[in-house]
Amino acid sequence: MKKLLFLFCLLGFAGSSIAQTVTFGVGVNAGLAYPIVQDDQGNGTIIGLKVIYSLGSLLTVEPNISFLKYGNPTSNVSGINGIYDGFEGSKITSYGVDAILGGGGGTGLHPYLLAGAGYYNSKRDMTLQDETRLGFSGGLGFELGMGSAFSLDARVKLNVITSEGGGSKKSASASAGINYYFGY
């Protein structure tokens, strides 16, 4: 949490030094998460909050925090108990920064690409799992400006969380939400 607070302050100071070109906003989104090649997780839900720093018409920086809850895993074979049957899905809290190429608010439809990095804290109460790892994300989306300070936002992301021994955990998410820009 201290790292997230530091990141928000750092971006705030950077934004205040170029205030004439920065558009500031906030956003909230919700959607579905799909584990990729993970038998120990079921499909889940994701909720996210973000601060938006639009540095002109092409580049936007979004510090963010997301809360993901995977569903309980189930066996794929009917009538046969799987090794993960009875387990619970993990809870993942991620905090990081996304760089957006395109988008940027304003009226109309604005497609964009995104890339990000952050820390992912994964917890599973049943197994006492509690670990934080560096992760990366990438994806695409679009923002639909509604002629005022509000816009609708939809995106898909691929998340890759590093793990010990060189492996990784991957998931995809699809979410939609609303953004509010100050000063419009």
Side-chain angles (χ1 to χ4, degrees):
M1 193 63 177
K2 289 180 184 178
K3 292 177 186 175
L4 180 64
L5 185 58
F6 173 75
L7 184 61
F8 277 85
C9 290
L10 181 64
L11 288 172
F13 291 130
S16 66
S17 67
I18 53 173
Q20 290 77 18
T21 61
V22 173
T23 302
F24 175 72
V26 293
V28 61
N29 63 329
L32 299 174
Y34 306 94
I36 299 173
V37 192
Q38 295 185 61
D39 291 336
D40 64 337
Q41 309 287 355
N43 294 342
T45 57
I46 187 167
I47 296 172
L49 304 168
K50 61 185 173 183
V51 176
I52 304 165
Y53 290 98
S54 181
L55 305 172
S57 62
L58 280 181
L59 182 63
T60 301
V61 178
E62 293 180 352
N64 59 72
I65 185 166
S66 296
F67 306 95
L68 185 149
K69 170 67 172 100
Y70 281 119
N72 297 338
T74 58
S75 173
N76 289 334
V77 181
S78 150
I80 299 175
N81 288 336
I83 190 170
Y84 297 111
D85 285 352
F87 267 45
E88 63 182 359
S90 296
K91 298 173 206 163
I92 297 178
T93 302
S94 67
Y95 47 97
V97 176
D98 289 338
I100 309 295
L101 184 60
T107 305
L109 183 64
H110 306 280
Y112 60 82
L113 298 173
L114 69 93
Y119 288 98
Y120 294 76
N121 176 260
S122 179
K123 291 184 179 184
R124 192 180 306 215
D125 297 333
M126 178 182 280
T127 61
L128 302 177
Q129 173 190 9
D130 186 357
E131 60 185 15
T132 301
R133 301 274 181 212
L134 179 64
F136 304 95
S137 61
L140 54 96
F142 66 88
E143 186 175 15
L144 178 61
M146 311 223 309
S148 65
F150 289 97
S151 68
L152 300 176
D153 184 43
R155 62 180 63 185
V156 292
K157 282 174 84 169
L158 175 66
N159 300 296
V160 179
I161 305 170
T162 61
S163 62
E164 282 186 37
S168 64
K169 292 221 175 217
K170 298 167 193 67
S171 68
S173 63
S175 64
I178 191 162
N179 299 331
Y180 178 79
Y181 292 94
F182 298 96
Y184 265 88

